[in-house]
Amino acid sequence: MKTKQNPTPSITRLQTLFSEERGVTLVEELVTVAVIGLGIVILVAMITTGAVGVRQIDDRVKAETLARSQLELIKDADYQPDPTAIPYPPVTTSPDYSVTIHIEYWNASTETFSPNVRDDGLQRITVSVTSDGEGLVQIAEYKVDRE
């Protein structure tokens, strides 16, 4: 016949220790609350960072749309060789954005673009969009006198 072996004394002591445990200690509760609090802080930080990133991308997309719209208005307009006149119609903007048009005229004799010089039928038009003093988008295109 086999006899049952008694568990080792250290295991017996552990079993009695754990069998007498009836709840969690204050330290365990505080650690749990701290871990949950840290998780909430990290979650809120991630949401805030995401919201800021979405706003920046939204501003950039709106600015690029305004710049492209301005360039389309300029493409549709007749070629204006006079640098002293307001040559092209401005796009309608919201108060949050500012659109500026900078026109440089090609001078064939010097082979350079310059503002307020003789026009040889080619313009470099740069459209810049800013918001709150911060430059968001700058796009340059060319307009040719086809007449």
Side-chain angles (χ1 to χ4, degrees), residues 2 14 69 74 99 108 136-138:
K2 286 188 175 180
L14 283 173
S69 296
I74 291 171
V99 178
L136 297 175
V137 174
Q138 184 173 5

Side-chain angles (χ1 to χ4, degrees), residues 21-35:
E21 187 178 326
R22 297 187 188 264
V24 292
T25 64
L26 178 62
V27 173
E28 291 172 324
E29 289 292 329
L30 290 176
V31 167
T32 303
V33 169
V35 168

Side-chain angles (χ1 to χ4, degrees), residues 1-7:
M1 262 177 35
K2 286 188 175 180
T3 59
K4 256 187 176 178
Q5 290 184 3
N6 286 337

Side-chain angles (χ1 to χ4, degrees), residues 35-48:
V35 168
I36 291 172
L38 182 63
I40 290 172
V41 166
I42 290 171
L43 182 66
V44 168
M46 287 173 29
I47 290 171
T48 304

Side-chain angles (χ1 to χ4, degrees), residues 3 7 14-15 21 48 50-51 67 70 73 75 79 96 99 102-103 107 112 117-118 122-123 131-132 144 146:
T3 59
L14 283 173
Q15 287 174 342
E21 187 178 326
T48 304
Q70 180 63 65
L73 276 176
K75 285 180 185 179
Y79 187 88
D96 299 337
V99 178
H102 180 70
I103 302 171
N107 187 334
T112 59
V117 296
R118 188 183 73 170
L122 178 64
Q123 298 171 343
S131 177
D132 297 329
V144 178
R146 304 235 182 236

